[in-house]
Amino acid sequence: QAYLSYSNVAALTHLAAKPGWEVTRTLEDITIWTHEEGDVLSFKVEMQVKIPSHQAFSLLSDFTSRQQWDKHFLTCEVLQAVSEEEKIYYVTSPPTTGHKPRDFVILVSQRQPCKPR
């Protein structure tokens, strides 16, 4: 489990360090970047919130209730529960001006840290 957690963090760190990230949208305190490589589209979102970090984690990690507060989630269903801590979701987002609705398959890993830090 520790190796898998380290591997996931290392892969995300490597992806974030790649050149070619483009800012696609900036709204108030939110910035969205995209990175395309072959047939893979990656995106990252950065925002400032004024709530405790544990509350933010809880809201962001519960994908099945995101439709209640996230206007970018039209539908969300679990395609496969890989384990108790990892699930694969199918998410659709509503159409935006000049664009068709979009859909995504997302692997969500909700492992607790191996150590308290």
Side-chain angles (χ1 to χ4, degrees), residues 5-112:
S5 292
Y6 173 78
S7 178
N8 285 348
V9 170
L12 287 172
T13 302
H14 177 72
L15 177 61
K18 285 186 174 186
W21 285 94
E22 296 180 21
V23 174
T24 56
R25 179 166 274 178
T26 303
L27 299 167
E28 297 174 25
D29 294 331
I30 303 170
T31 305
I32 301 172
W33 289 270
T34 58
H35 183 275
E36 289 188 62
E37 189 171 1
D39 61 348
V40 176
L41 172 65
S42 301
F43 60 95
K44 61 182 176 179
V45 178
E46 182 179 287
M47 65 186 300
Q48 300 291 320
V49 294
K50 296 177 182 174
I51 61 172
S53 59
H54 70 278
Q55 187 178 1
F57 177 81
S58 177
L59 287 168
L60 292 171
S61 63
D62 184 2
F63 267 50
T64 55
S65 67
R66 293 231 357 207
Q67 296 127 286
Q68 297 172 15
W69 61 268
D70 188 340
K71 66 181 179 181
H72 298 99
F73 273 57
L74 186 61
T75 65
C76 178
E77 66 179 276
V78 177
L79 288 180
Q80 182 178 1
V82 179
S83 69
E84 190 174 313
E85 300 166 324
E86 293 183 325
K87 293 182 177 77
I88 299 173
Y89 293 91
Y90 176 69
V91 176
T92 60
S93 62
T96 56
T97 306
H99 297 283
K100 294 188 266 181
R102 295 184 178 188
D103 63 338
F104 304 91
V105 175
I106 303 171
L107 170 63
V108 176
S109 179
Q110 297 172 302
R111 282 187 223 87
Q112 294 299 315

